[in-house]
Amino acid sequence: MKSETQKSKIMYLEKKMPLKEMQEFVGGPIEIIQLKKDLDLIVNEEGKIIGLPINNSATILAKKYNRDFLTPIVGNALVVGPNSFQEIKNKSEDL
């Protein structure tokens, strides 16, 4: 089980990187959560099972795009889409 004090990371990409690199960043098999057309959040599919720490920034982001999103995002996350960082920055200045 991972330490609760470990800080999760979030990375912004214009396009998806190779599968192996995405798996290395999130620490295992990937799960793709569509935030909107052409904007995805990629996380570790088994993150909750293996006890990864909550990623507050990614959780806030998921809730901003989908108010019904109830589960916290855990572990490292990739935000992938054209102009992903600018898109997120425009959506919320508090991330």
Side-chain angles (χ1 to χ4, degrees):
M1 190 164 268
K2 304 282 182 182
S3 165
E4 287 299 316
T5 59
Q6 179 182 1
K7 184 145 172 76
S8 297
K9 300 175 189 171
I10 191 165
M11 181 189 297
Y12 302 90
L13 302 170
E14 297 291 315
K15 60 183 180 175
K16 288 183 178 131
M17 57 175 64
L19 176 62
K20 185 172 174 87
E21 290 178 33
M22 289 190 290
Q23 289 172 327
E24 287 174 6
F25 184 79
V26 301
I30 67 167
E31 177 180 355
I32 300 172
I33 301 167
Q34 186 176 34
L35 299 176
K36 69 174 214 164
K37 185 178 185 216
D38 296 327
L39 189 65
D40 295 325
L41 184 64
I42 299 174
V43 300
N44 184 321
E45 182 178 48
E46 301 172 344
K48 292 178 187 80
I49 295 167
I50 61 175
L52 293 178
I54 293 173
N55 185 325
N56 289 321
S57 294
T59 300
I60 291 168
L61 178 62
K63 287 182 181 186
K64 290 208 180 279
Y65 279 93
N66 181 352
R67 294 182 153 248
D68 296 328
F69 194 86
L70 301 174
T71 6
I73 301 294
V74 298
N76 292 342
L78 295 164
V79 179
V80 183
N83 303 311
S84 62
F85 182 73
Q86 192 60 42
E87 166 76 27
I88 302 310
K89 187 175 178 194
N90 290 342
K91 184 76 171 172
S92 172
E93 294 295 326
D94 63 348
L95 285 180

